[in-house]
Amino acid sequence: MKNFIFISPNFPANYWKFCRELQNDGFRVLGIGDEAYDCLTADLKGSLTEYYKVSNLENYDEVYRAVAFFTFKYGKIDFIESNNEYWLERDALLRTEFNVATGFKKTDVKKIKYKSAMKKFYKKAGVKTARFCIAKSLAVCEKFIKEVGYPVIVKPDNGVGASDTHKINDDAELAAFLKRKGRKSYIMEEFIDAEVNSYDAIIDSKGNPVFETGNITPKSLMDVVNDGDSCLYYIVNELASDVRALGRKTVKAFKVKSRFVHFEFFRLLSDQKIGKKGDVVALEVNMRPAGGITPDMMNYANSTDVYKIWADTMAFDSTLVSLGEKYFCAFAGRRDGREYVYSEQDIVDRFRNCVKLIQRVPDVLAGTMGNVMYVANFKTKEEMDEFYSEITATK
């Protein structure tokens, strides 16, 4: 029996489904987390062979001892995974120290976590990227801005999602940014007028896609976070051919194997120096599933089960799970404290046959995703656009 260590299996809350399908495929599933065992859901408890509680997942020594304990008790570890952006570096270090054959190792971390390092791998794949510099000093930034012009985008070189990402429009905002950034490393990029199109895929051990889909984010998450706007994105009913082609090239360039990935691309909304309106250029790679409830949305959009497809791929390098009827699956995140034209009950009554899920967003994700999520399926984009119009309307 193969041993699969799943780091933080209780967060996000839907990740217990990965554990369930691993168990169904014959894995011994070993969880490591900092939540008390009695606080785990019954579904998660039933999906784990054993759970090791640490006082703090940030404490590497504790997590190391947990892996050592499982290795001593159950033998060689075949997989260590969290499927979580925050723990990717931790996962890689543990795989390296315990000689786990699958997954990225310590030496791979830079290319999968540092936005500046991703650029050369995109170049290798033949995928365009925004011009950039490392925002070390005023002189470096001014030289770069002289080349590309305002506005520019700044974000942590090693960051998670759209957190701490800002648009700088003039010299005063540049000076304020440099004053507050401290010693943290930031990347500065030319501004691109675009919407985000993602390539989401489950990749086998040979680097081939077993499942592919994608989502579109009409408004940047940077603006959503900074302006406190409603978060809107949707799973497409069919993945665009150009995004599929560039996604597959990126998989090969980064040598991705046995992973669920979420690659983000820009589709240009106007003619720019980097390309023509409609062209697709690279944003960044994320070597884990799209966050939060998105895997469930992929299921709704494709009438399938990505949790099982992923587990099957880890276990057998293939799957018999098929795809069914296709939909646009829409996410809308509303903010607490805003007065909306239509109440939650109005939305339910209006879109009763479409709504799949309404629930609170965990506080740690609310800055990006909103406080209350609404997920709904639609056969046409016109129906989805009507849903978005009504759910975001404010008084």
Side-chain angles (χ1 to χ4, degrees):
M1 181 179 287
K2 290 186 176 181
N3 297 314
F4 197 114
I5 291 181
F6 206 107
I7 307 290
S8 188
N10 56 298
F11 185 85
N14 50 317
Y15 274 25
W16 73 269
K17 299 174 186 177
F18 286 120
C19 298
R20 175 191 63 195
E21 297 306 331
L22 288 170
Q23 185 184 70
N24 289 341
D25 281 343
F27 278 103
R28 185 183 284 119
V29 187
L30 308 167
I32 300 175
D34 53 16
E35 186 169 7
Y37 180 77
D38 289 344
C39 294
L40 302 181
T41 65
D43 286 325
L44 178 53
K45 289 178 182 177
S47 302
L48 298 175
T49 303
E50 188 168 350
Y51 179 74
Y52 191 112
K53 182 193 178 301
V54 295
S55 63
N56 188 348
L57 279 173
E58 299 279 2
N59 187 321
Y60 181 75
D61 288 341
E62 280 194 89
V63 179
Y64 180 95
R65 287 196 295 272
V67 176
F69 170 78
F70 283 145
T71 302
F72 174 78
K73 186 171 181 178
Y74 296 108
K76 183 179 181 298
I77 304 302
D78 298 283
F79 290 86
I80 297 177
E81 188 58 76
S82 66
N83 278 349
N84 192 311
E85 181 77 24
Y86 192 80
W87 303 116
L88 287 183
E89 293 180 62
R90 169 68 50 79
D91 297 344
L93 182 55
L94 289 168
R95 290 189 202 104
T96 302
E97 298 206 348
F98 286 91
N99 197 29
V100 175
T102 57
F104 290 114
K105 305 299 191 297
K106 183 180 178 180
T107 53
D108 298 311
V109 165
K110 189 173 182 180
K111 75 177 183 182
I112 66 172
K113 284 290 291 176
Y114 286 79
K115 294 172 177 63
S116 59
M118 295 174 189
K119 301 282 186 177
K120 69 177 182 181
F121 291 93
Y122 277 123
K123 184 177 181 180
K124 182 179 178 181
V127 182
K128 290 182 180 178
T129 63
R131 290 170 289 177
F132 78 102
C133 73
I134 299 298
K136 296 178 181 177
S137 65
L138 177 61
V140 169
C141 294
E142 287 180 333
K143 180 180 178 181
F144 178 71
I145 292 168
K146 186 175 181 179
E147 176 188 351
V148 303
Y150 284 115
V152 292
I153 302 298
V154 292
K155 51 192 173 183
D157 195 15
N158 179 10
V160 178
S163 176
D164 200 15
T165 300
H166 305 277
K167 183 192 291 185
I168 293 179
N169 297 288
D170 52 40
D171 290 347
E173 290 183 4
L174 174 63
F177 158 71
L178 290 171
K179 184 177 181 179
R180 71 172 181 269
K181 88 176 190 69
R183 300 174 64 86
K184 191 173 183 178
S185 178
Y186 284 79
I187 185 173
M188 177 177 286
E189 293 182 320
E190 64 180 310
F191 174 76
I192 296 179
D193 177 28
E195 67 178 12
V196 175
N197 287 219
S198 78
Y199 172 80
D200 297 86
I202 296 170
I203 309 299
D204 69 16
S205 67
K206 300 177 184 63
N208 299 314
V210 176
F211 167 82
E212 295 170 303
T213 187
N215 70 55
I216 292 178
T217 306
K219 182 174 183 178
S220 78
L221 289 182
M222 173 190 71
D223 292 334
V224 169
V225 172
N226 294 334
D227 300 339
D229 286 347
S230 297
C231 175
L232 308 177
Y233 71 95
Y234 60 92
I235 307 297
V236 296
N237 64 341
E238 290 292 343
L239 183 62
S241 59
D242 51 3
V243 175
R244 185 190 305 273
L246 292 180
R248 290 181 176 183
K249 285 184 177 181
T250 304
V251 166
K252 297 299 183 184
F254 281 83
K255 297 182 179 180
V256 180
K257 296 179 180 179
S258 301
R259 295 201 71 74
F260 206 142
V261 299
H262 173 65
F263 297 163
E264 294 177 328
F265 295 91
F266 280 134
R267 186 176 295 280
L268 305 187
L269 295 176
S270 59
D271 291 348
Q272 296 159 67
K273 188 165 184 178
I274 197 171
K276 299 292 186 182
K277 180 179 179 180
D279 286 353
V280 177
V281 300
L283 174 52
E284 65 184 55
V285 296
N286 297 281
M287 297 297 178
R288 43 76 181 172
I293 203 69
T294 311
D296 295 88
M297 293 173 59
M298 295 176 190
N299 287 344
Y300 297 140
N302 293 280
S303 303
T304 192
D305 187 343
V306 299
Y307 298 101
K308 179 161 178 54
I309 295 172
W310 174 80
D312 287 353
T313 304
M314 301 304 104
F316 314 119
D317 227 21
S318 63
T319 186
L320 297 177
V321 177
S322 61
L323 307 185
E325 193 169 3
K326 299 292 190 72
Y327 298 89
F328 293 93
C329 186
F331 177 102
R334 281 182 162 186
R335 301 281 178 184
D336 289 347
R338 289 203 172 184
E339 286 193 75
Y340 292 94
V341 172
Y342 299 101
S343 68
E344 182 172 297
Q345 189 59 53
D346 291 335
I347 296 298
V348 171
D349 291 342
R350 174 72 176 83
F351 300 98
R352 184 176 301 279
N353 296 327
C354 303
V355 171
K356 295 292 185 180
L357 181 70
I358 300 174
Q359 68 181 40
R360 294 286 300 181
V361 176
D363 289 344
V364 70
L365 301 176
T368 301
M369 310 302 291
N371 301 103
V372 181
M373 70 172 76
Y374 296 74
V375 175
N377 260 13
F378 300 94
K379 289 298 295 181
T380 68
K381 188 172 183 300
E382 290 72 23
E383 292 173 309
M384 181 177 68
D385 288 343
E386 185 177 355
F387 166 75
Y388 277 147
S389 177
E390 294 192 16
I391 202 166
T392 59
T394 55
K395 296 180 181 179

